[in-house]
Amino acid sequence: MKIVISLVLAVACANASAEVTVGGTLHGSSLREWHAASPANQLITIADIVEKVLNLRDPLAVAPKARAVQSCINRVSNNFKLRSQMVTDTAVACMAELGYLPR
């Protein structure tokens, strides 16, 4: 299933690069590393996190949520003071802000 999601997201992302691995490589990274990573790697990493946290199995349900969370993380990572924050922590905070997590 991860391969299908990764392929769908790689095709959807115009800047997909060859070095991106299935599932992305930014799970344990800081926002500083996120900010320097390729958009394709960001999207694939976030799609993996969204899939796991929200327990989604449908790539069509994951993709728009992953793009919204990626946009939120990019907004947060532009704040230099917060760049030591972890990607996974920021992703969960963004999912809560976007209303994807149950209250």
Side-chain angles (χ1 to χ4, degrees), residues 8-86:
V8 168
L9 292 173
V11 169
C13 184
N15 295 331
S17 61
E19 77 270 2
V20 177
T21 59
V22 173
T25 60
L26 301 169
H27 292 81
S29 299
S30 69
L31 291 184
R32 179 173 282 114
E33 295 162 317
W34 168 273
H35 195 70
S38 72
N41 194 4
Q42 292 175 353
L43 186 59
I44 292 171
T45 300
I46 284 306
D48 189 43
I49 293 170
V50 166
E51 177 189 29
K52 288 177 184 171
V53 171
L54 300 180
N55 197 25
L56 298 173
R57 300 291 176 243
D58 181 10
L60 296 177
V62 171
K65 288 179 174 29
R67 283 193 296 279
V69 173
Q70 178 188 22
S71 177
C72 176
I73 293 172
N74 283 334
R75 178 179 46 82
V76 172
S77 75
N78 284 330
N79 183 346
F80 187 78
K81 295 177 196 169
L82 299 176
R83 287 201 180 164
S84 63
Q85 190 171 327
M86 299 304 289

